[in-house]
Amino acid sequence: MKPFSGLPLSQAMLNNLETLKYINMTPVQEVSILPVLEGYDVLAQAKTGSGKTAAFGIGLLQNLKVSRFRVQSLVLCPTRELAEQVSEELRKIARFQHNIKILKITGGLPLYKQEHSLSHEAHIIVGTPGRVLKLLERGSLSLKELRTLVLDEADRMLDMGFIDPIREIISYAPAKRQTLCFSATFPEDVKKLSRSIQNNPVELAVDREHDSTVIRQMFYHAANMDKVKALLSLLNHFQPGNVIVFCNTKDVCRKVNRALTDAGLHSLMLNGDLEQKERTEVLIRFANGSCNVLVATDVAARGLDIKNLGAVINYDFPFEGETYIHRIGRTGRAGEEGLALSLIQPGEDFRLDKIQPRFEEIPETDGDGGQFPDSAMITLSINGGRKNKISPGDVLGALTCSGGISGDDVGKIDRQDYLTFIAVKRTVASKAIEMLEKGQVKGRRFKAMIND
């Protein structure tokens, strides 16, 4: 692996990357950052979790004209969750330079608030196609000075039917621009889109397949009536720490989540019926260790990036091979071994024609879910966040002051605009709530509650 120090980056950028523990580049970063810096269009294929955000983010931030307070870069993402993750990553990389404004524009939030934010301009917009297009049509967003357009997870955006909105958005952008397209797969519709919107792109393909030495893939025959019991047996036997269980439909998703809850597991569900604020809370609680099992559909989980995911279980095997690749690619990242377990019903073997699996016997357990580890953390929240100028340090200080609780008992702190979620060990939850309710955060009192 090559170090970032070998790139033509400013010393301030290199110092910040070192602070972020970005020492050596991932394969996709090695081959794509330099073409991005030099202004070329790029068409890059790399699996989920390969470092794509930094691959395009370092280049567009280094090339930014900070003194020119206009939208110079637009990053389009298929989902709100991915847009949140990308914007947070870009903000971290942007710390090398003061006064860089990055604005997230997605649905699920009041339009007038986003229009108010846009009235003060921004350097980089990260958003979903639907909301970005609506703001362009209303004249609230201008792309007249756009220099770089990024399509992140292009294949997923096309799968979700965003081809027309993407073309409409591009019609508002200058013809002379840099266009970067990152995709986990290269189906024909992605290649066709690239030909129509990119100018002689540098084509790159790295980390396309999930090596069996990185992700251990195991397959199990299970009759439909035994699937829940089989799922519990796999959880009890492998005890992966945290796991995403994939279902093909919302109805099955609800059924599985209910069965796991009845078995005594802390399980959360992610499907298309959830409101945005519910989706956000579910993802935060799963990512911070307050819940060990997330039951999800593919549509709801698109763009989901959970670090250090122990396993993926296909409760329902997907209909398409590319969907399988996307699912299992969420485990086994950053050089760690991942685990992908799949339950196959009678008559579904034809879906495995390109995989050639070796079937295993479902491990014998009592199936009551008791052996699977309970989540060690629990999530608290206060009704104040980023807009209230609250920092994670303010919250940590409020919890640990005057002999409250130990800093070792506090986990991840996630700030939203007007909410902050705090993971603490379950053993100190009551004490932590007391500290937040009776004490002050940044000189103010906020309402606190347990999210469980």
Side-chain angles (χ1 to χ4, degrees), residues 156-424:
R156 284 305 182 192
M157 284 197 283
L158 299 190
D159 283 348
M160 296 170 72
F162 285 136
I163 180 63
D164 291 334
I166 288 172
R167 292 191 181 280
E168 280 291 311
I169 289 168
I170 290 173
S171 71
Y172 285 87
K176 187 178 180 180
R177 66 176 186 276
Q178 180 185 39
T179 304
L180 312 176
C181 182
F182 286 78
S183 185
T185 58
F186 271 179
E188 183 55 37
D189 52 357
V190 170
K191 296 176 183 177
K192 183 178 178 181
L193 178 64
S194 169
R195 288 192 293 268
S196 66
I197 68 173
Q198 291 189 291
N199 180 29
N200 297 320
V202 177
E203 294 193 30
L204 309 168
V206 296
D207 286 347
R208 290 173 293 176
E209 300 298 329
H210 297 286
D211 194 317
S212 60
T213 62
V214 176
I215 300 178
R216 186 157 52 122
Q217 302 174 51
M218 305 179 74
F219 300 83
Y220 302 86
H221 275 132
N224 190 40
M225 62 178 296
D226 297 323
K227 282 180 76 176
V228 170
K229 182 178 179 181
L231 173 61
L232 289 167
S233 293
L234 294 178
L235 290 172
N236 291 339
H237 179 74
F238 288 100
Q239 299 191 36
N242 60 348
V243 58
I244 298 179
V245 178
F246 277 104
C247 304
N248 288 346
T249 68
K250 291 184 290 186
D251 286 341
V252 175
C253 190
R254 284 189 286 266
K255 170 191 169 186
V256 173
N257 182 61
R258 186 165 54 247
L260 292 175
T261 301
D262 290 344
L265 300 181
H266 274 90
S267 171
L268 289 171
M269 178 177 62
L270 190 67
N271 65 33
D273 287 342
L274 299 184
E275 297 290 336
Q276 180 57 32
K277 62 180 182 180
E278 295 174 309
R279 291 167 60 86
T280 298
E281 182 182 330
V282 164
L283 292 175
I284 286 173
R285 288 173 58 191
F286 184 64
N288 70 18
S290 296
C291 167
N292 290 343
V293 185
L294 179 65
V295 185
T297 59
D298 292 296
V299 172
R302 280 172 178 159
L304 184 62
D305 184 11
I306 301 296
K307 291 178 173 59
N308 303 316
L309 183 66
V312 166
I313 298 181
N314 293 301
Y315 183 86
D316 292 328
F317 201 79
F319 296 103
E320 299 177 354
E322 289 179 359
T323 301
Y324 176 75
I325 292 173
H326 275 281
R327 286 183 181 182
I328 71 171
R330 291 177 168 87
T331 183
R333 298 185 178 184
E336 297 293 326
E337 183 181 71
L339 182 64
L341 311 173
S342 299
L343 296 174
I344 309 299
Q345 291 181 250
E348 288 185 332
D349 289 21
F350 70 94
R351 297 184 190 170
L352 307 172
D353 57 346
K354 294 182 180 179
I355 298 176
Q356 298 180 340
R358 181 173 67 87
F359 283 91
E360 310 282 341
E361 292 292 329
I362 294 176
E364 290 289 335
T365 69
D366 57 13
D368 63 3
Q371 298 177 29
F372 186 71
D374 194 10
S375 52
M377 310 298 284
I378 191 170
T379 298
L380 316 179
S381 64
I382 59 172
N383 63 333
R386 193 180 290 116
K387 296 291 187 182
N388 304 98
K389 307 298 183 183
I390 292 175
S391 72
D394 295 327
V395 178
L396 182 62
L399 287 169
T400 57
C401 69
S402 304
I405 64 175
S406 168
D408 293 336
D409 292 329
V410 183
K412 193 174 180 183
I413 299 175
D414 293 273
R415 293 177 304 155
Q416 305 298 298
D417 284 347
Y418 297 101
L419 276 175
T420 298
F421 295 94
I422 312 109
V424 300

